[in-house]
Amino acid sequence: MEVFQVAHFVRLRSSVRSSRYLAAADDGTSVFLCGRRGVHNAVWAVEPVIGVIPGASAGPYVRLRGAYGRYLVATNYGAGRGPSDGVVAEQRDLGVRPTPPGYLWQAFRRRDSFVLRNGAGRYLRANGRFRRWHKDVSVAGDNASTMMQWRVEVVPPMASRPSLVDLPAQLMHRTNPPVESDLSRVIRYVRADNAGRYGEQEWAPVRVNTNNLTHLRLTMAERLGQNCDAGQITLCVRAGRYAHLSPLLVDLPMGNNPIHIVVLNHGTPARENPQTMGSRSKISLKLLVDSKSKKVLFAEAGKEFVDFVFSLLTLPVGAVVKLISAGTMQGSIGRLYQSVEHINASYLLPNKDRADLLQPKVLHPDARELLLLQPESGGAGGSPLARFKLYTCAGHCTTAAMEAKAACPQCKKAMDTEVALVLPSASSPAQSSAAASGGDGESSGYVKGLVTYMVTDGLEVTPMSAISSITLINKFSVGKDVELAEKYVSIAMDEGLGILKAALRSDTVLSDVFLAKKK
């Protein structure tokens, strides 16, 4: 892996077919062996992957991102008639977390070259040793073939931003130019702020009938208004909810699939390092309110907000008390929490830690993100929710412990190797692969995206429909003088904790949080 530790961008050249490079095809899906070293399609960005990956062998790993922002993946589709032919390699979106094993790659030195093994234990293979017209690339089991050996060429980053008239070379090998029906697609775009942040509710659609990058820049500048100069923006592809942003330096791929574009301004921190930017840790919500009575009738919500309110049910009671402060809790649970805080340690059993009661670990792996909390850190300002961890011994016996350093009952070694916890609700490999190709991350959280939900003031959640909303409005308006208005709000950590606190004591949660007068 040392070759990937020093590289941000690489070319992968076949050791046997020495003039052929692994390239992202301009259909946006397939990969093949390309004889043109200088095209941008033959350059792959290297993304280190941190942490333990369920279902994958020991790391470290990287992801390889191509010219269209999509990732090199070993699919489940057979590459030939027999099992020894392996599976097809493709470009795919990254729409799930953690990263599926098929997206993960390691480099191991073999003779004077490298072999690339993925998280499932298969190896990237060039084809066409004897049939020279054969340009396919597959992923197969290791049979010591030299066709699995690659030369890794480190590509230095560009010294300056390419101009509109000086873009990198790209694949343009089609004999017949494509017609409009081959290129018409919907672009979903959002403009990021100077820090590179944007809201998931801010995406807007526009239909284009060409794949030309310059035309797309001009279209984006026109849509964004008079203060937007096509020469002063960079268009970045986001190929899936959890993909890094990839500056678009070549024309769009052929086809009609929708593409997500994030627009960055030149001269901002986000433009200098687009991989550090992402969606804001906020959720947008549209409320229908009665301005006279200061009450919320209902909210129109997307997947993010519904996942958030559903995730409140995953919290242990001790975690809830810590999040909203024991002194402000109604009832007796706050005083019970304070009793545990203040009891002398001499009254506790020697093998018991009061932190297990005061700071219980959260089992659900996405709970911290869904609750809009910051990641764990070692300092006092870290997340109030500890992550549930499991440990095993170096011999990987069939035992696990919730605390490091416990002695393995089988081999007696210290159980200090962290292992991944996979919940029964986690997606199967087939579901993960399907979700990854869809690109919207619907396997994370609880409910499906692309649906609008109605959330009442008392947090009753149902799919949005015209009939249900009209019925609720009529029910609220009977015998009353109402003045209905729309109100847009953003939910970050403070508002999220306010919703949690209000949900424990009130039937008018949204009104209490967003319409109550500030004290």
Side-chain angles (χ1 to χ4, degrees):
M1 283 291 290
E2 71 277 2
V3 66
F4 285 147
Q5 293 175 357
V6 298
H8 295 289
F9 303 93
V10 296
R11 293 187 184 94
L12 300 176
R13 178 166 60 91
S14 171
S15 291
V16 175
R17 305 191 65 181
S18 57
S19 64
R20 297 286 177 174
Y21 291 81
L22 180 72
D26 62 356
D27 61 3
T29 300
S30 57
V31 297
F32 73 109
L33 295 175
C34 173
R36 299 175 58 191
R37 178 182 183 275
V39 296
H40 188 60
N41 303 66
V43 177
W44 297 85
V46 179
E47 296 180 6
V49 178
I50 308 299
V52 179
I53 305 297
S57 54
Y61 289 101
V62 299
R63 293 186 294 258
L64 297 174
R65 175 166 44 86
Y68 303 110
R70 309 187 83 192
Y71 292 86
L72 178 65
V73 176
T75 69
N76 295 324
Y77 309 134
R81 296 181 179 179
S84 61
D85 293 320
V87 296
V88 174
E90 283 187 354
Q91 309 169 61
R92 285 193 177 179
D93 293 354
L94 180 60
V96 295
R97 278 197 310 199
T99 304
Y103 287 67
L104 306 174
W105 299 95
Q106 296 173 303
F108 296 97
R109 185 170 291 279
R110 182 173 292 180
R111 301 183 182 90
D112 59 347
S113 303
F114 291 90
V115 292
L116 273 69
R117 185 177 70 186
N118 76 347
R122 288 175 165 171
Y123 293 77
L124 189 68
R125 175 191 173 96
N127 294 304
R129 180 196 295 271
F130 303 111
R131 294 177 294 174
R132 308 298 286 182
W133 64 89
H134 197 7
K135 301 178 182 179
D136 292 346
V137 177
S138 57
V139 184
D142 187 12
N143 61 1
S145 170
T146 54
M147 296 299 285
M148 294 181 175
Q149 295 180 22
W150 300 84
R151 301 292 179 92
V152 180
E153 300 179 1
V154 177
V155 179
M158 292 182 178
S160 60
R161 176 180 59 86
S163 67
L164 287 172
V165 296
D166 188 27
L167 294 173
Q170 60 181 309
L171 291 176
M172 298 182 65
H173 61 269
R174 295 176 181 266
T175 304
N176 299 318
V179 297
E180 183 176 302
S181 60
D182 296 331
L183 303 174
S184 178
R185 58 161 47 96
V186 172
I187 300 291
R188 293 182 60 81
Y189 68 94
V190 63
R191 189 173 192 176
D193 61 20
N194 288 344
R197 297 171 300 184
Y198 54 91
E200 286 298 322
Q201 303 294 328
E202 298 173 8
W203 295 94
V206 60
R207 178 168 288 279
V208 296
N209 297 314
T210 177
N211 69 330
N212 183 268
L213 176 58
T214 301
H215 182 276
L216 181 60
R217 276 190 177 181
L218 295 172
T219 300
M220 290 293 99
E222 180 182 1
R223 298 279 295 193
L224 293 172
Q226 296 180 349
N227 295 328
C228 185
D229 182 353
Q232 296 300 316
I233 58 174
T234 294
L235 307 185
C236 293
V237 179
R238 193 186 79 169
R241 178 68 180 274
Y242 300 111
H244 283 189
L245 294 187
S246 184
L248 192 57
L249 302 179
V250 294
D251 292 342
L252 297 176
M254 304 291 177
N256 310 115
N257 293 332
I259 291 179
H260 288 68
I261 298 290
V262 178
V263 182
L264 302 183
N265 297 322
H266 291 167
T268 62
R271 171 59 187 87
E272 300 305 317
N273 189 9
Q275 293 189 6
T276 63
M277 64 170 291
S279 57
R280 300 186 185 102
S281 294
K282 288 188 176 182
I283 297 172
S284 298
L285 199 63
K286 184 171 80 171
L287 307 177
L288 183 65
V289 304
D290 176 16
S291 301
K292 290 189 174 181
S293 64
K294 302 295 182 184
K295 290 195 65 176
V296 173
L297 275 70
F298 60 83
E300 291 185 22
K303 168 181 170 62
E304 291 83 4
F305 182 75
V306 176
D307 283 342
F308 160 65
V309 292
F310 281 4
S311 70
L312 300 180
L313 299 176
T314 70
L315 291 178
V317 174
V320 172
V321 179
K322 181 172 179 61
L323 283 169
I324 63 178
S325 178
T328 63
M329 287 287 294
Q330 292 186 338
S332 302
I333 195 70
R335 291 189 290 274
L336 176 61
Y337 187 93
Q338 291 173 331
S339 298
V340 177
E341 278 187 312
H342 298 147
I343 192 171
N344 193 291
S346 62
Y347 293 99
L348 299 177
L349 292 174
N351 61 338
K352 297 299 180 182
D353 187 347
R354 76 179 75 211
D356 293 338
L357 299 172
L358 301 178
Q359 297 174 295
K361 295 179 173 63
V362 177
L363 180 63
H364 196 287
D366 292 332
R368 188 178 297 101
E369 178 188 350
L370 293 174
L371 289 165
L372 310 177
L373 300 176
Q374 299 301 317
E376 281 184 291
S377 66
S383 170
L385 295 185
R387 183 166 60 89
F388 191 93
K389 298 180 180 180
L390 287 178
Y391 300 89
T392 189
C393 61
H396 294 284
C397 297
T398 57
T399 54
M402 291 186 291
E403 299 294 337
K405 306 301 183 182
C408 175
Q410 296 181 16
C411 66
K412 309 304 180 185
K413 295 180 180 179
M415 303 178 71
D416 54 5
T417 301
E418 185 177 348
V419 294
L421 174 66
V422 181
L423 297 180
S425 59
S427 301
S428 66
Q431 290 171 323
S432 296
S433 177
S437 61
D440 283 328
E442 289 197 0
S443 68
S444 62
Y446 299 98
V447 297
K448 292 183 176 181
L450 303 179
V451 176
T452 300
Y453 297 89
M454 182 171 71
V455 183
T456 67
D457 203 10
L459 298 187
E460 296 179 39
V461 180
T462 55
M464 190 80 181
S465 70
I467 295 177
S468 60
S469 58
I470 292 173
T471 300
L472 190 59
I473 292 172
N474 290 338
K475 181 180 178 181
F476 183 84
S477 304
V478 172
K480 298 179 182 177
D481 181 18
V482 298
E483 184 177 319
L484 300 181
E486 291 182 349
K487 179 181 177 68
Y488 290 85
V489 296
S490 294
I491 302 170
M493 182 175 175
D494 290 342
E495 292 81 9
L497 294 180
I499 290 174
L500 172 60
K501 184 176 180 179
L504 295 172
R505 59 177 174 79
S506 173
D507 292 327
T508 56
V509 175
L510 300 181
S511 297
D512 293 348
V513 174
F514 298 109
L515 300 183
K517 293 182 178 180
K518 303 292 183 182
K519 295 183 179 180

